[in-house]
Amino acid sequence: MNRLLAIIDYQNDFVSGSLGFPGAEQLDAGIAKLAQSYLAERNPILITYDTHDSDYLETREGKALPIPHCTPNTEGWRLYGKTQECISCTCASNLIFPVSKTAFGIAPEDLIRLKEQLGPIDEIVVVGLVSNMCVMANVCTLQAAWPNAQIVVDASLCASFDSVLHQKALDVMAGMQIKVIHNA
């Protein structure tokens, strides 16, 4: 079975930085452990990086959320904690597929390139932040790219700054035939 792990925006700015929220740091050990198991089994890992340049405050998102964050190559842009250590210490760099994105979901041209690189995928496990924003958006784009893949969202390794929106997002994804699990 061809499996893919998608780690969505598990970056310092969303955990402990400008948009950090309580509880986000608690996902770190579980995400890092899952990433280690995928690498040990030689399965690829997609990592999305929310990425905003100096014109962020002039964008639609920047006007709605006027808090600069995830500026490329800053500490806030990097992955958080053990997850960063796991990804940076690996000698399996040919299994890591980083994608910088300037919107909630992966851009179509990046998704096309990713699909060409990865080929057929049977299962995609999605974890990360923020469940009611970027996680949900990327679930939709991944489902469009691999319509026959079983997409699994591990709710125990996703979070939001708003617990009500988190649960609503999980409910909507389940309604989209996404398998929502609680592995923790």
Side-chain angles (χ1 to χ4, degrees), residues 65-108:
L65 179 66
I67 301 170
H69 62 281
C70 297
T71 303
N73 302 313
T74 63
E75 189 59 29
W77 182 78
R78 289 181 182 80
L79 295 176
Y80 180 78
K82 292 179 182 174
T83 302
Q84 172 63 37
E85 291 172 21
C86 172
I87 297 306
S88 65
C89 291
T90 182
C91 41
S93 58
N94 63 324
L95 295 173
I96 307 294
F97 294 84
V99 175
S100 292
K101 57 184 193 52
T102 59
F104 294 155
I106 298 171

Side-chain angles (χ1 to χ4, degrees), residues 152-169:
V152 178
V153 171
D154 188 338
S156 65
L157 296 177
C158 294
S160 172
F161 53 86
D162 183 318
S163 61
V164 172
L165 289 177
H166 171 73
Q167 188 56 54
K168 286 181 179 183

Side-chain angles (χ1 to χ4, degrees), residues 4-27:
L4 172 67
L5 173 62
I7 301 173
I8 308 299
D9 298 359
Y10 197 62
Q11 295 163 267
N12 286 316
D13 270 349
F14 292 116
V15 180
S16 59
S18 59
L19 293 173
F21 57 92
E25 74 285 351
Q26 295 173 3
L27 308 180

